[in-house]
C-alpha cells in the first residue's frame, strides 16, 4: 500500500519521530529478551517484576515510579514497601506497548510510527504517565505526535485508525477514532486536483467507470486522480470504523453518488457471497476480491492481520455461525449508512444485499428498509437479481411474496411522486434530480415487462399457487402494459406446468390477459393452443379479425403528401398484394379458423332443429295413442250418430233455398214480426 508501517518517521520535523527521556536513574544499554521475559541490560539487579499477559518484565522501581502513577499507586497503596511483583492484566496495547513505555521510562530512544502510536498512547493513559509526575511525560509526547504528525497525513490516519481495532474502548474514550475519522473525511472530500499524498491505486479495470467522467477527475501532475481514489484505502477498515468515516464524509457534504459507490466497494470486499451470487452486475463486480486483498497494495498493509477481514473471509478454524453473525453485522451496518437519495447505489446492489439479508436473517426493520429502497428504483432491476430463493419455509422455489412487496413499494412511490408538488422537496439539486428521475412514464412499462419475465420464470414451479400468480399479474394497472405478449407467455408456461387445472381455473387464469393487446404472432399461437379455454380462443380470433380489418381500412388512408407521388390502391386484391407476406398468412390462418368455427356452429344448429322436429312428432304420436285408449263403444256410437246428423243437416241446407219446409216457415214468421216491430 505505502512504505512499511514499521519504518520510523525520522524524516519528520517533530523530534525525528524519536522519543527519549531527558533523565533516568539507571544506566542501561537496552532491553534483552530471554524466552518470555524481558531484562534490562545493566549491572543493577532487578527489584520489580511486572507481568503483562504472558510476558514478564524484570525492571527497577525508581524509573517506573517516577514516570507512572499507576505503578506508583499499586506499590504504595498495597501497604507493602517490599512488594516487588505487580500484574497489569488489562493494559491496552499488550506487552508491545508496555515495552515501549518501559524503555521511555529508562530514557531509551523509542521510534514512533503510525503502527504503534495508538497503542502507546492508550498504554500511557492506562499507566497514568501525566505531566504531574514529570514534564514532557509520555502522554504529552504521544498526543503531540498524533496531532502534528498523524492527523496531517492520509497514510498515517488510515494506519492509526486501523490499529485502533484492538484498543476499544480506550481509543474511543481518548477520541483517537473520532479525530482520525474526521481527518480521513476532510482529505477524502478534498479536490482531486490538489491531492499530493500517496494512496492505493487500484487496477485499471477495477476503477469505477461511472465516476471517471465527472468534472472533479481532471488530471493532476502526470496522471489524473479519479474521484474514487480513496475507496481502496478506506475499505481496509473494520465495519464500525468505516461507518464512522462515511458518517463524517456525509457531514462534509460529499456527493451521495460517491458515498454510495464507496459502500458498494466495501461490500464487494467484505461480502464475497455478494459477488458470487450476482456476477456481472454493478461496478463492484469488476473489483478484485480475495482473502489476500489487504496485502495487494504494498508492504504497509501486509502486516494488518487481524480485524474483520479474517473473520469474514473465513479460516478453517471459523465456524459457519460465526461467519454468518459477522456478515449479518456488516449488512446491518451498511444498510444504515446508505444515502437516502434514489440513485446513490444501484438497484442490482440493493437486491443482492437483500438476498443476503434474507439468507442471514437480518433484523426485519432493516429488511423492510431495503425493500423500500429497491421499490424506489425497481425499474432498474433485472430478472437475474429478482430470482431470490425462498429461505423461509415457503413451498415455492423463489420468494414470490418478496417480489410482490417490492412491486407494492414501487407503486406507492410512483403514486407519491405523481401527487407531490412540482417544487423540489430537497434543497440539494443533485438529491432532487436523483429522486425525480423515476417520474418517467416508461418506468411502469419497464416494470411490467420485468414482472412478465419473472412470472414466466417462476410459473414453472409446480408449487406456485394460482392465486399468487394472479395477484402478481394484476398488481400493475392496465395502462402499464401496451402489449400482453409477455403475460400470455407466462400464462402458457403456467398451464404447461400445471396440466391438472380445471376449466374454471384456466378461465380464471386467462382473465388477467387482455386479448386485444396481443400481437399477431401471439394471436396465431393462441388460436392453435389447446391448453387455452375455447372461449379465450374465440376472443383471440375475434380481436385479431377486428385488428386486421382496421389495419386494412387504415392502410388505404395515406398521407396527403404521399398521395402526390403514389396512386391510391385501386382494389382489394392489390391491397392484399401490397401487404407483407406474414400479414397475409396470419389473416388467411385466422379466416380459416373463423370459417371452421362458423361451420361447426351451423352443424350444431341443424342438429338441434332436427332433434326438435323429432320431438314434436313423438309428442303427437303419444297424444294420439292416449286418446284412442280413452274411447269406448258407446262413445263410438254417439260419434256415428252425430256424424249422420251433421250429414242430414248439410243435405237439408243444400235443398232448403228452393223448397222451404212448413216448420221453417212457422219459425220465421214471428221473427219477421219482431223485426218489423223493432
Amino acid at each position: 500500500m505505502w512504505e512499511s508501517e514499521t519504518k520510523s518517521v525520522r524524516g519528520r520535523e517533530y523530534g525525528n519521530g524519536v522519543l527519549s527521556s531527558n533523565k533516568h536513574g539507571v544506566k542501561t544499554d537496552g532491553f534483552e529478551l530471554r524466552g518470555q521475559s524481558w531484562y534490562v541490560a545493566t549491572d543493577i539487579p532487578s527489584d520489580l517484576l511486572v507481568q503483562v499477559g504472558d510476558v514478564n518484565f524484570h525492571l527497577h522501581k525508581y524509573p517506573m515510579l517516577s514516570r507512572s502513577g499507576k505503578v506508583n499507586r499499586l506499590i504504595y497503596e498495597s501497604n507493602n514497601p517490599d512488594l516487588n511483583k505487580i500484574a497489569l492484566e488489562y493494559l491496552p496495547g499488550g506487552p508491545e506497548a508496555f515495552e515501549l513505555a518501559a524503555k521511555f521510562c529508562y530514557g531509551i530512544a523509542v521510534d514512533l510510527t503510525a503502527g504503534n502510536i495508538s497503542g502507546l498512547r492508550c498504554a500511557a493513559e492506562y499507566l497514568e504517565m501525566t505531566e504531574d509526575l514529570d514534564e514532557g511525560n509520555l502522554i504529552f509526547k504521544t498526543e503531540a505526535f498524533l496531532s502534528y504528525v498523524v492527523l496531517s497525513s492520509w497514510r498515517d490516519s488510515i494506519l492509526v485508525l486501523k490499529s485502533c481495532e484492538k484498543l476499544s474502548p480506550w481509543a474511543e474514550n481518548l477520541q483517537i477514532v473520532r479525530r482520525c475519522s474526521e481527518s480521513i473525511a476532510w482529505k477524502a472530500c478534498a479536490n482531486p486536483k490538489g491531492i499530493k499524498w500517496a494512496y492505493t491505486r487500484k487496477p485499471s479495470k477495477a476503477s469505477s467507470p461511472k465516476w471517471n467522467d465527472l468534472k472533479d477527475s481532471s488530471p493532476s501532475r502526470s496522471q489524473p486522480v479519479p474521484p474514487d481514489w480513496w475507496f481502496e484505502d478506506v475499505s481496509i477498515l473494520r465495519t464500525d470504523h468505516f461507518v464512522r468515516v462515511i458518517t463524517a464524509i456525509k457531514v462534509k457534504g460529499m456527493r451521495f453518488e460517491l458515498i454510495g459507490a464507496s459502500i458498494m466497494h466495501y461490500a464487494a470486499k467484505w461480502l464475497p457471497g455478494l459477488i458470487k451470487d450476482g456476477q456481472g452486475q454493478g461496478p463492484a463486480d469488476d473489483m478484485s476480491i480475495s482473502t489476500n486483498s489487504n496485502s495487494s497494495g504494498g508492504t504497509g498493509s501486509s502486516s494488518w492481520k487481524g480485524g474483520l477481514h479474517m473473520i469474514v473471509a473465513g479460516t478453517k478454524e471459523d465456524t459457519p455461525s460465526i461467519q454468518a453473525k459477522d456478515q449479518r453485522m456488516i449488512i446491518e451496518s451498511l444498510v444504515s449508512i446508505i444515502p437516502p437519495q434514489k440513485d446513490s447505489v444501484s438497484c442490482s446492489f440493493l437486491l443482492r444485499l437483500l438476498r443476503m439479508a434474507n439468507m442471514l436473517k437480518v433484523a426485519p426493520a432493516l429488511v423492510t428498509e431495503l425493500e423500500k429502497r429497491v421499490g424506489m428504483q425497481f425499474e432498474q432491476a433485472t430478472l437475474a437479481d429478482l430470482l431470490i430463493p425462498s429461505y423461509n419455509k415457503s413451498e415455492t422455489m423463489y420468494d414470490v411474496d418478496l417480489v410482490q412487496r417490492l412491486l407494492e413499494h414501487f407503486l406507492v412511490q410512483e403514486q407519491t411522486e405523481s401527487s407531490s408538488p412540482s417544487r423540489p422537496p430537497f434543497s440539494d439539486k443533485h438529491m432532487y434530480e436523483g429522486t425525480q428521475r423515476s417520474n418517467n412514464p416508461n418506468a411502469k412499462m419497464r416494470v411490467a415487462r420485468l414482472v412478465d419475465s419473472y412470472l414466466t420464470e417462476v410459473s414453472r414451479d409446480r408449487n406456485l399457487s394460482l392465486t399468487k400468480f394472479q395477484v402478481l399479474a394484476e398488481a400493475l394497472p392496465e395502462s402499464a402494459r401496451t402489449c400482453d405478449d409477455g403475460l400470455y407467455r407466462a400464462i402458457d408456461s403456467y398451464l404447461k406446468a400445471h396440466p391438472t387445472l380445471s376449466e374454471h381455473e384456466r378461465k380464471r387464469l386467462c382473465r388477467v390477459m387482455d386479448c386485444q393487446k396481443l400481437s399477431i404472432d401471439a394471436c396465431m399461437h393462441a388460436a392453435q393452443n389447446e391448453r387455452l379455454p375455447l372461449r379465450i380462443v374465440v376472443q383471440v380470433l375475434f380481436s385479431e379479425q377486428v385488428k386486421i380489418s382496421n389495419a386494412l381500412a387504415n392502410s388505404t388512408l395515406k398521407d396527403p403528401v404521399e398521395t402526390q407521388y403514389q396512386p391510391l390502391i385501386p382494389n382489394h386484391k392489390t391491397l392484399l398484394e401490397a401487404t407483407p407476406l406474414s400479414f397475409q398468412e396470419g389473416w388467411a390462418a385466422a379466416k380459416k379458423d373463423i370459417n371452421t368455427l362458423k361451420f361447426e356452429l351451423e352443424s350444431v344448429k341443424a342438429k338441434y332443429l332436427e332433434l326438435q322436429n323429432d320431438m314434436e312428432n313423438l309428442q303427437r304420436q303419444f297424444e294420439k295413442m292416449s286418446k284412442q285408449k280413452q274411447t269406448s263403444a258407446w262413445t263410438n256410437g254417439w260419434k256415428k250418430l252425430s256424424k249422420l246428423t251433421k250429414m242430414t243437416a248439410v243435405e237439408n241446407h243444400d235443398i232448403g233455398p228452393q223448397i222451404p219446409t212448413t216448420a221453417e216457415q212457422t219459425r220465421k214468421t214471428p221473427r219477421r214480426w219482431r223485426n218489423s216491430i223493432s
Side-chain angles (χ1 to χ4, degrees):
M1 188 172 183
W2 306 289
E3 64 272 17
S4 175
E5 68 178 70
T6 59
K7 295 182 181 178
S8 64
V9 286
R10 291 188 176 87
R12 306 194 183 279
E13 297 180 357
Y14 181 74
N16 292 329
V18 179
L19 289 185
S20 62
S21 179
N22 294 329
K23 52 184 178 179
H24 50 84
V26 179
K27 292 183 180 181
T28 177
D29 295 332
F31 280 29
E32 297 177 355
L33 179 62
R34 302 172 188 171
Q36 292 291 328
S37 301
W38 282 96
Y39 294 87
V40 182
T42 181
D43 296 335
I44 302 175
S46 172
D47 59 353
L48 179 63
L49 175 63
V50 181
Q51 291 181 342
V52 182
D54 297 334
V55 182
N56 296 326
F57 291 86
H58 298 270
L59 307 174
H60 302 83
K61 289 184 179 180
Y62 176 72
M64 299 302 299
L65 296 178
S66 62
R67 304 290 193 279
S68 172
K70 177 80 171 179
V71 176
N72 200 329
R73 191 172 66 256
L74 288 176
I75 291 178
Y76 287 104
E77 289 182 358
S78 64
N79 298 324
N80 184 10
D82 298 332
L83 180 67
N84 57 4
K85 180 179 179 180
I86 60 176
L88 305 177
E89 298 178 357
Y90 304 106
L91 180 83
E96 295 82 5
F98 184 78
E99 175 194 349
L100 297 177
K103 287 181 178 180
F104 175 80
C105 293
Y106 278 88
I108 301 174
V110 177
D111 291 343
L112 294 182
T113 65
N116 62 24
I117 185 61
S118 59
L120 189 58
R121 172 65 183 89
C122 295
E125 189 71 22
Y126 177 85
L127 295 172
E128 302 174 11
M129 302 176 71
T130 62
E131 293 296 292
D132 298 335
L133 297 176
D134 187 16
E135 184 178 356
N137 210 343
L138 189 57
I139 290 179
F140 172 79
K141 293 193 175 183
T142 52
E143 263 307 315
F145 186 83
L146 276 171
S147 301
Y148 295 103
V149 178
V150 171
L151 298 182
S152 63
S153 168
W154 169 261
R155 177 192 79 100
D156 291 343
S157 298
I158 295 286
L159 292 175
V160 170
L161 187 56
K162 180 68 179 176
S163 65
C164 290
E165 295 176 356
K166 299 180 181 180
L167 299 174
S168 299
W170 289 90
E172 287 283 353
N173 297 335
L174 295 175
Q175 305 296 319
I176 299 176
V177 174
R178 180 188 62 80
R179 287 182 288 173
C180 289
S181 300
E182 292 183 353
S183 174
I184 294 170
W186 276 113
K187 293 174 177 60
C189 294
N191 193 327
K193 297 179 181 179
I195 293 177
K196 303 297 182 183
W197 52 80
Y199 62 91
T200 302
R201 295 181 181 272
K202 296 176 292 183
S204 58
K205 70 173 185 176
S207 60
S208 302
K210 184 177 181 180
W211 316 116
N212 290 339
D213 299 332
L214 299 179
K215 296 181 179 179
D216 291 343
S217 61
S218 55
S220 175
R221 301 185 301 274
S222 60
Q223 188 175 2
V225 178
D228 58 353
W229 62 269
W230 51 277
F231 286 5
E232 185 67 22
D233 294 337
V234 174
S235 66
I236 68 173
L237 300 174
R238 199 172 64 185
T239 305
D240 56 340
H241 293 164
F242 176 77
V243 171
R244 293 286 294 271
V245 170
I246 294 299
T247 303
I249 288 176
K250 285 182 180 180
V251 175
K252 302 297 183 294
M254 178 172 284
R255 294 191 306 274
F256 64 87
E257 299 99 333
L258 280 175
I259 296 176
S262 66
I263 295 173
M264 294 169 62
H265 182 98
Y266 188 88
K269 191 166 191 174
W270 296 103
L271 299 172
L274 196 69
I275 302 302
K276 181 179 179 181
D277 292 340
Q279 291 179 350
Q281 303 293 336
D285 298 332
D286 294 332
M287 302 171 187
S288 176
I289 308 300
S290 65
T291 57
N292 299 324
S293 59
N294 280 353
S295 61
S296 61
T299 58
S301 60
S302 61
S303 60
W304 297 335
K305 296 182 177 177
L308 183 63
H309 184 272
M310 298 302 294
I311 297 175
V312 176
T315 60
K316 292 183 179 180
E317 291 79 11
D318 292 330
T319 60
S321 60
I322 296 178
Q323 296 183 37
K325 180 179 179 181
D326 291 300
Q327 289 188 357
R328 187 187 309 118
M329 182 267 296
I330 295 174
I331 294 175
E332 292 176 350
S333 301
L334 295 183
V335 172
S336 64
I337 61 174
I338 295 177
Q341 292 81 2
K342 174 187 173 184
D343 291 327
S344 57
V345 294
S346 67
C347 184
S348 176
F349 169 76
L350 291 173
L351 283 169
R352 284 178 280 157
L353 204 62
L354 181 59
R355 173 183 299 192
M356 291 198 69
N358 288 333
M359 180 177 62
L360 298 174
K361 308 298 182 183
V362 172
L366 292 176
V367 173
T368 303
E369 180 64 24
L370 262 180
E371 292 176 358
K372 291 180 180 179
R373 293 300 307 271
V374 174
M376 289 174 59
Q377 48 199 102
F378 194 52
E379 71 277 6
Q380 302 173 7
T382 60
L383 177 60
D385 294 326
L386 278 184
L387 295 176
I388 300 176
S390 181
Y391 295 105
N392 51 22
K393 296 181 179 180
S394 176
E395 297 180 354
T396 56
M397 182 184 303
Y398 297 107
D399 198 342
V400 182
D401 295 333
L402 172 61
V403 178
Q404 176 70 27
R405 293 195 299 270
L406 297 178
L407 187 56
E408 291 174 357
H409 289 311
F410 168 77
L411 295 175
V412 170
Q413 181 69 20
E414 286 285 319
Q415 184 178 3
T416 303
E417 292 180 357
S418 61
S419 60
S420 61
S422 59
R423 181 177 59 85
F426 305 101
S427 59
D428 189 357
K429 179 180 178 182
H430 297 286
M431 183 184 299
Y432 173 69
E433 290 175 352
T435 304
Q436 294 297 320
R437 203 150 22 206
S438 66
N439 277 337
N440 188 347
N442 294 327
K444 289 184 180 179
M445 296 182 183
R446 289 196 295 269
V447 171
R449 290 194 294 268
L450 178 64
V451 171
D452 293 345
S453 301
Y454 180 80
L455 286 172
T456 303
E457 188 68 26
V458 301
S459 62
R460 301 183 179 95
D461 187 0
R462 295 183 179 272
N463 295 324
L464 179 63
S465 65
L466 176 60
T467 302
K468 286 188 176 182
F469 184 96
Q470 186 177 7
V471 169
L472 186 57
E474 294 177 344
L476 286 168
E478 294 182 0
S479 59
R481 291 186 178 93
T482 57
C483 180
D484 278 7
D485 285 7
L487 193 56
Y488 167 71
R489 191 178 300 108
I491 291 173
D492 185 49
S493 178
Y494 189 88
L495 291 174
K496 286 182 182 178
H498 302 78
T500 59
L501 290 179
S502 63
E503 183 72 15
H504 174 71
E505 290 175 335
R506 288 191 292 141
K507 289 181 180 179
R508 175 184 163 193
L509 175 65
C510 295
R511 200 175 295 130
V512 303
M513 175 182 60
D514 188 357
C515 298
Q516 297 181 359
K517 292 184 179 181
L518 295 178
S519 65
I520 295 178
D521 294 335
C523 287
M524 293 176 61
H525 185 277
Q528 302 173 0
N529 194 342
E530 298 179 354
R531 290 178 291 272
L532 295 178
L534 181 60
R535 183 175 182 180
I536 300 299
V537 175
V538 173
Q539 290 179 1
V540 169
L541 294 174
F542 178 76
S543 63
E544 187 59 20
Q545 184 181 13
V546 171
K547 273 195 263 185
I548 293 176
S549 301
N550 293 335
L552 293 174
N554 294 333
S555 63
T556 59
L557 301 177
K558 297 293 183 178
D559 188 17
V561 179
E562 295 180 358
T563 56
Q564 298 178 3
Y565 306 97
Q566 298 180 0
L568 293 175
I569 299 176
N571 51 32
H572 182 72
K573 181 178 180 181
T574 309
L575 175 64
L576 288 178
E577 292 177 353
T579 58
L581 182 60
S582 60
F583 189 89
Q584 297 181 25
E585 292 176 353
W587 161 247
K591 189 175 180 180
K592 181 179 179 181
D593 293 335
I594 293 173
N595 292 334
T596 302
L597 291 174
K598 288 182 178 179
F599 176 76
E600 293 178 355
L601 183 61
E602 293 295 334
S603 301
V604 171
K605 287 182 179 180
K607 290 181 179 180
Y608 174 77
L609 293 175
E610 184 178 353
L611 291 173
Q612 189 175 10
N613 293 331
D614 293 341
M615 183 177 178
E616 291 178 355
N617 293 333
L618 290 174
Q619 286 180 348
R620 285 195 296 268
Q621 292 179 4
F622 178 76
E623 291 176 356
K624 185 177 180 180
M625 293 175 64
S626 62
K627 289 180 180 179
Q628 289 179 358
K629 290 181 180 180
Q630 293 176 0
T631 58
S632 60
W634 286 98
T635 54
N636 291 334
W638 283 109
K639 284 183 179 180
K640 290 180 180 180
L641 288 175
S642 62
K643 273 186 180 181
L644 292 174
T645 306
K646 289 180 181 180
M647 292 176 63
T648 306
V650 171
E651 291 176 356
N652 294 334
H653 178 71
D654 294 337
I655 303 173
Q658 298 177 2
I659 305 175
T661 60
T662 307
E664 288 178 356
Q665 289 180 358
T666 307
R667 285 195 305 269
K668 288 180 181 180
T669 301
R671 185 187 302 172
R672 282 197 300 268
W673 177 78
R674 284 195 298 269
N675 289 339
S676 62
I677 291 298
S678 61

